[in-house]
Amino acid sequence: MSKLQGGCMCGAVRWTSDGAVTRNLSCHCSDCQRATSSPFTTFIGLVPETVKWTGEITHYESSKGTHRGFCPKCGTRLYFKSESWPGEVHIHAATLDDPNAYIPDAHVVLRSKLPWLHLNDDIPKYQNFEATPEDIIKE
Ligand SMILES: [Zn+2]
Ligand SMILES: [Zn+2]
């Protein structure tokens, strides 16, 4: 895996990782919609220990045990981390220095997809999450 790197809009927060990607998901859940002011968001799943962060990050607990990190200077959303999924951090793919390099593996939580949004790609689509954390984290 080549090195992934990215940051917020103002540059105060930067991240790098050379760890394995656990999954790349487009999430349509209503919390992600609200948190990112967008119809859906795309994540890179990484093992937290493989990600190096610089800069100050503020967290908002969007539901019990679920924390969403953002840059306190520019407001860019950085990641989603949940106590129920301790082996992963989901970094917003749009923070990549080269977001064109990213391709999601699946759409998830389509039960709350906005009705005007029509998806015509051919990646898998799931009403909920496609797998529990236990199914993904095997090492
Ligand atoms: Zn910033
Ligand atoms: Zn979501």
Side-chain angles (χ1 to χ4, degrees), residues 27 29 32 68:
C27 186
C29 86
C32 282
R68 292 171 183 267

Side-chain angles (χ1 to χ4, degrees), residues 43-100:
F43 289 110
I44 310 164
L46 293 166
V47 177
E49 292 73 29
T50 70
V51 186
K52 288 192 187 69
W53 293 93
T54 56
E56 189 191 340
I57 299 171
T58 299
H59 292 92
Y60 176 70
E61 190 169 15
S62 58
S63 60
K64 194 165 164 35
T66 294
H67 299 268
R68 292 171 183 267
F70 60 95
C71 171
K73 262 186 161 171
C74 71
T76 297
R77 291 286 167 160
L78 299 161
Y79 58 79
F80 159 99
K81 209 159 49 173
S82 175
E83 284 167 14
S84 54
W85 297 21
E88 286 181 278
V89 57
H90 292 91
I91 298 179
H92 290 285
T95 67
L96 280 166
D97 287 345
D98 181 12
N100 295 308

Side-chain angles (χ1 to χ4, degrees), residues 99-121:
N100 295 308
Y102 174 90
I103 300 172
D105 299 322
H107 292 280
V108 296
V109 200
L110 286 172
R111 65 174 190 268
S112 48
K113 181 182 79 61
L114 295 176
W116 53 261
L117 179 68
H118 299 287
L119 303 169
N120 68 355
D121 56 41

